[in-house]
Amino acid sequence: MPAQLKLYGHKESGHSYKVKLALTIGQIPHEYEAVDIFLPRNQRPEPFKSLSAFGEVPVLVLNGVAHAQSNAILILLAEHTKTLGGESAATLAKAREWLFWEANRVGFSLAHLRFARQFAPQVVDWLQARFDADIARLAQEFLDGRPFILGDRVAIADFALCAYAFFAEQARVQLPIEVQDWLLRIRALKDW
Ligand SMILES: N[C@@H](CCC(=O)N[C@@H](CS)C(=O)NCC(=O)O)C(=O)O
Protein backbone atom coordinates (compact mmCIF):
# COMPACT_ATOMS: atom_id res chain seq x y z
CA MET A 1 0.00 0.00 0.00
CA PRO A 2 1.45 3.44 -0.88
CA ALA A 3 2.49 5.59 2.07
CA GLN A 4 -0.01 8.18 3.33
CA LEU A 5 1.72 11.53 3.64
CA LYS A 6 0.50 14.89 4.83
CA LEU A 7 2.63 18.00 5.22
CA TYR A 8 1.72 20.93 7.46
CA GLY A 9 3.60 24.08 6.45
CA HIS A 10 3.50 27.79 5.74
CA LYS A 11 4.51 29.73 2.66
CA GLU A 12 6.81 32.12 4.55
CA SER A 13 8.68 29.23 6.15
CA GLY A 14 11.89 28.13 4.46
CA HIS A 15 11.93 25.08 6.72
CA SER A 16 8.57 24.03 5.28
CA TYR A 17 9.77 24.87 1.80
CA LYS A 18 12.61 22.34 2.01
CA VAL A 19 10.20 19.52 2.67
CA LYS A 20 7.58 20.66 0.13
CA LEU A 21 10.31 20.85 -2.50
CA ALA A 22 11.54 17.33 -1.73
CA LEU A 23 8.01 15.93 -1.92
CA THR A 24 7.18 17.78 -5.14
CA ILE A 25 10.40 17.29 -7.08
CA GLY A 26 10.67 13.74 -5.77
CA GLN A 27 7.16 13.08 -7.17
CA ILE A 28 6.05 11.82 -3.77
CA PRO A 29 2.24 12.02 -3.53
CA HIS A 30 1.13 13.95 -0.47
CA GLU A 31 -1.50 16.23 0.98
CA TYR A 32 -0.61 19.75 2.11
CA GLU A 33 -2.20 21.96 4.73
CA ALA A 34 -1.15 25.53 5.47
CA VAL A 35 -0.93 26.45 9.16
CA ASP A 36 -1.19 30.10 10.19
CA ILE A 37 2.07 30.51 12.11
CA PHE A 38 1.29 34.18 12.75
CA LEU A 39 -1.36 32.99 15.22
CA PRO A 40 -0.16 32.38 18.79
CA ARG A 41 0.80 28.71 19.17
CA ASN A 42 -2.12 27.89 21.47
CA GLN A 43 -4.59 29.27 18.92
CA ARG A 44 -3.41 27.15 16.00
CA PRO A 45 -5.92 24.60 14.81
CA GLU A 46 -6.06 20.93 15.60
CA PRO A 47 -4.81 18.42 14.62
CA PHE A 48 -1.66 20.46 13.96
CA LYS A 49 -1.40 21.60 17.58
CA SER A 50 -1.33 18.05 18.89
CA LEU A 51 0.81 16.67 16.10
CA SER A 52 3.53 19.30 16.31
CA ALA A 53 6.12 18.23 18.88
CA PHE A 54 7.82 21.66 18.88
CA GLY A 55 4.90 23.86 17.86
CA GLU A 56 6.64 24.65 14.56
CA VAL A 57 6.11 23.91 10.91
CA PRO A 58 6.97 21.75 9.09
CA VAL A 59 5.32 18.62 10.38
CA LEU A 60 5.06 15.58 8.15
CA VAL A 61 2.61 12.83 9.03
CA LEU A 62 3.74 9.53 7.53
CA ASN A 63 1.35 6.61 7.91
CA GLY A 64 -0.20 8.22 10.99
CA VAL A 65 3.09 9.13 12.69
CA ALA A 66 4.01 12.83 12.98
CA HIS A 67 7.59 13.87 12.26
CA ALA A 68 9.14 17.28 13.02
CA GLN A 69 12.40 19.09 12.18
CA SER A 70 12.84 19.76 8.49
CA ASN A 71 16.19 18.06 8.04
CA ALA A 72 15.13 14.98 10.00
CA ILE A 73 12.08 14.82 7.72
CA LEU A 74 14.30 15.10 4.63
CA ILE A 75 16.43 12.17 5.82
CA LEU A 76 13.29 10.16 6.50
CA LEU A 77 12.02 10.84 2.97
CA ALA A 78 15.34 9.95 1.37
CA GLU A 79 15.56 6.72 3.37
CA HIS A 80 11.94 5.85 2.75
CA THR A 81 12.05 6.41 -1.03
CA LYS A 82 15.70 5.49 -1.63
CA THR A 83 15.96 8.57 -3.86
CA LEU A 84 17.12 12.18 -3.43
CA GLY A 85 20.33 11.07 -1.73
CA GLY A 86 18.87 7.94 -0.14
CA GLU A 87 20.18 5.71 -2.93
CA SER A 88 23.08 4.34 -0.90
CA ALA A 89 24.63 4.54 2.56
CA ALA A 90 27.39 6.69 1.07
CA THR A 91 25.08 9.28 -0.52
CA LEU A 92 22.95 9.40 2.60
CA ALA A 93 26.01 9.98 4.78
CA LYS A 94 27.10 12.86 2.53
CA ALA A 95 23.61 14.35 2.49
CA ARG A 96 23.41 14.07 6.28
CA GLU A 97 26.67 15.99 6.66
CA TRP A 98 25.28 18.80 4.52
CA LEU A 99 22.01 18.89 6.43
CA PHE A 100 23.82 19.31 9.72
CA TRP A 101 26.07 21.99 8.26
CA GLU A 102 23.01 23.74 6.84
CA ALA A 103 21.16 23.68 10.18
CA ASN A 104 24.05 25.31 11.99
CA ARG A 105 25.26 27.69 9.29
CA VAL A 106 23.12 28.86 6.32
CA GLY A 107 19.90 27.69 8.00
CA PHE A 108 20.95 29.79 10.97
CA SER A 109 22.60 32.87 9.46
CA LEU A 110 20.47 33.39 6.36
CA ALA A 111 17.19 32.31 7.93
CA HIS A 112 17.63 34.63 10.91
CA LEU A 113 19.00 37.52 8.90
CA ARG A 114 15.97 37.32 6.64
CA PHE A 115 13.63 37.03 9.63
CA ALA A 116 15.17 40.03 11.39
CA ARG A 117 15.13 42.20 8.27
CA GLN A 118 11.72 41.14 7.05
CA PHE A 119 9.79 40.78 10.30
CA ALA A 120 11.79 42.19 13.25
CA PRO A 121 14.41 44.82 12.32
CA GLN A 122 17.26 44.98 14.84
CA VAL A 123 21.06 44.78 15.03
CA VAL A 124 22.13 42.30 12.40
CA ASP A 125 25.87 42.83 11.87
CA TRP A 126 26.80 39.60 13.55
CA LEU A 127 24.37 37.63 11.43
CA GLN A 128 25.58 39.38 8.28
CA ALA A 129 29.19 38.41 9.03
CA ARG A 130 28.17 34.85 9.69
CA PHE A 131 26.15 34.75 6.49
CA ASP A 132 29.09 36.10 4.46
CA ALA A 133 31.25 33.23 5.70
CA ASP A 134 28.53 30.64 5.12
CA ILE A 135 27.61 31.67 1.61
CA ALA A 136 31.26 31.78 0.58
CA ARG A 137 31.65 28.24 1.89
CA LEU A 138 28.62 27.10 -0.08
CA ALA A 139 29.76 28.82 -3.28
CA GLN A 140 33.12 27.08 -2.97
CA GLU A 141 31.33 23.72 -3.42
CA PHE A 142 30.42 24.52 -7.00
CA LEU A 143 33.88 25.56 -8.17
CA ASP A 144 34.51 22.08 -9.61
CA GLY A 145 31.54 22.56 -11.93
CA ARG A 146 29.22 19.90 -10.54
CA PRO A 147 25.54 20.84 -10.82
CA PHE A 148 24.25 19.76 -7.40
CA ILE A 149 25.69 19.30 -3.93
CA LEU A 150 26.16 15.55 -4.10
CA GLY A 151 26.99 15.37 -7.81
CA ASP A 152 24.92 15.08 -10.96
CA ARG A 153 21.55 14.51 -9.32
CA VAL A 154 19.51 16.72 -7.06
CA ALA A 155 19.27 15.46 -3.48
CA ILE A 156 17.87 16.40 -0.09
CA ALA A 157 21.04 18.36 0.66
CA ASP A 158 20.17 20.75 -2.21
CA PHE A 159 16.63 21.23 -0.88
CA ALA A 160 17.86 22.00 2.62
CA LEU A 161 20.53 24.41 1.46
CA CYS A 162 18.54 26.25 -1.20
CA ALA A 163 15.34 27.03 0.68
CA TYR A 164 16.34 30.31 2.34
CA ALA A 165 18.53 31.29 -0.60
CA PHE A 166 15.30 31.83 -2.52
CA PHE A 167 14.45 34.50 0.09
CA ALA A 168 17.84 36.24 -0.28
CA GLU A 169 16.30 39.47 -1.51
CA GLN A 170 14.21 39.75 1.65
CA ALA A 171 17.36 39.22 3.74
CA ARG A 172 18.93 41.98 1.60
CA VAL A 173 21.97 39.91 0.73
CA GLN A 174 23.75 39.29 -2.51
CA LEU A 175 24.37 35.68 -3.54
CA PRO A 176 27.62 34.69 -5.26
CA ILE A 177 27.27 33.77 -8.92
CA GLU A 178 27.97 30.07 -8.22
CA VAL A 179 25.02 30.00 -5.83
CA GLN A 180 22.78 31.93 -8.22
CA ASP A 181 23.57 29.44 -10.99
CA TRP A 182 22.80 26.50 -8.70
CA LEU A 183 19.44 28.08 -7.82
CA LEU A 184 18.69 28.43 -11.53
CA ARG A 185 19.39 24.71 -11.97
CA ILE A 186 16.98 23.93 -9.13
CA ARG A 187 14.35 26.24 -10.65
CA ALA A 188 14.76 24.40 -13.94
CA LEU A 189 13.84 21.03 -12.39
CA LYS A 190 10.55 19.61 -13.52
CA ASP A 191 7.74 20.56 -11.08
CA TRP A 192 9.87 23.16 -9.22
N1 LIG B 1 14.52 23.47 13.42
C1 LIG B 1 13.18 23.55 12.88
C2 LIG B 1 12.82 24.99 12.69
C3 LIG B 1 11.37 25.17 12.28
C4 LIG B 1 10.93 26.62 12.37
O1 LIG B 1 11.71 27.51 12.78
N2 LIG B 1 9.68 26.86 11.97
C5 LIG B 1 9.15 28.20 12.02
C6 LIG B 1 8.80 28.69 10.63
S1 LIG B 1 10.24 28.75 9.61
C7 LIG B 1 7.86 28.21 12.83
O2 LIG B 1 7.10 27.24 12.84
N3 LIG B 1 7.61 29.34 13.49
C8 LIG B 1 6.41 29.55 14.26
C9 LIG B 1 6.62 29.20 15.71
O3 LIG B 1 7.77 28.88 16.11
O4 LIG B 1 5.67 29.28 16.44
C10 LIG B 1 13.11 22.77 11.54
O5 LIG B 1 14.16 22.57 10.91
O6 LIG B 1 12.03 22.33 11.14
Side-chain angles (χ1 to χ4, degrees):
M1 200 174 85
Q4 297 263 313
L5 284 163
K6 180 162 181 175
L7 174 66
Y8 293 87
H10 189 276
K11 69 179 166 60
E12 291 290 349
S13 160
H15 294 98
S16 305
Y17 181 68
K18 294 177 191 177
V19 178
K20 185 75 174 123
L21 201 54
L23 289 167
T24 305
I25 288 179
Q27 312 269 327
I28 303 167
H30 63 280
E31 280 180 70
Y32 177 77
E33 188 172 318
V35 175
D36 185 355
I37 55 172
F38 294 107
L39 280 177
R41 286 186 175 185
N42 62 4
Q43 288 174 29
R44 294 181 195 159
E46 292 289 1
F48 173 77
K49 225 166 40 169
S50 309
L51 290 171
S52 166
F54 306 104
E56 301 169 321
V57 290
V59 166
L60 183 78
V61 181
L62 169 61
N63 293 332
V65 180
H67 299 269
Q69 296 299 317
S70 56
N71 288 353
I73 295 171
L74 289 178
I75 291 171
L76 186 82
L77 288 174
E79 280 178 330
H80 190 77
T81 61
K82 305 219 176 324
T83 63
L84 303 173
E87 293 85 352
S88 71
T91 53
L92 199 56
K94 216 4 130 197
R96 207 182 280 118
E97 279 182 13
W98 276 108
L99 297 191
F100 277 81
W101 184 82
E102 185 273 344
N104 187 47
R105 302 298 313 198
V106 177
F108 179 83
S109 59
L110 183 50
H112 291 93
L113 197 51
R114 175 255 180 169
F115 182 83
R117 287 192 168 146
Q118 187 68 8
F119 300 110
Q122 51 190 267
V123 179
V124 290
D125 293 354
W126 177 71
L127 285 173
Q128 176 76 60
R130 202 168 152 129
F131 167 73
D132 291 344
D134 294 345
I135 209 68
R137 173 64 187 85
L138 182 58
Q140 188 191 326
E141 266 322 283
F142 299 109
L143 294 181
D144 66 2
R146 69 181 190 282
F148 298 108
I149 290 289
L150 298 192
D152 289 337
R153 275 185 299 187
V154 74
I156 53 175
D158 297 279
F159 301 146
L161 289 159
C162 80
Y164 278 101
F166 282 113
F167 294 98
E169 219 177 286
Q170 291 184 3
R172 287 181 239 149
V173 292
Q174 187 65 32
L175 298 174
I177 188 70
E178 295 83 2
V179 173
Q180 290 181 33
D181 288 347
W182 167 65
L183 293 180
L184 287 176
R185 289 191 287 278
I186 292 173
R187 290 179 71 129
L189 292 168
K190 184 177 169 293
D191 291 336
W192 175 78

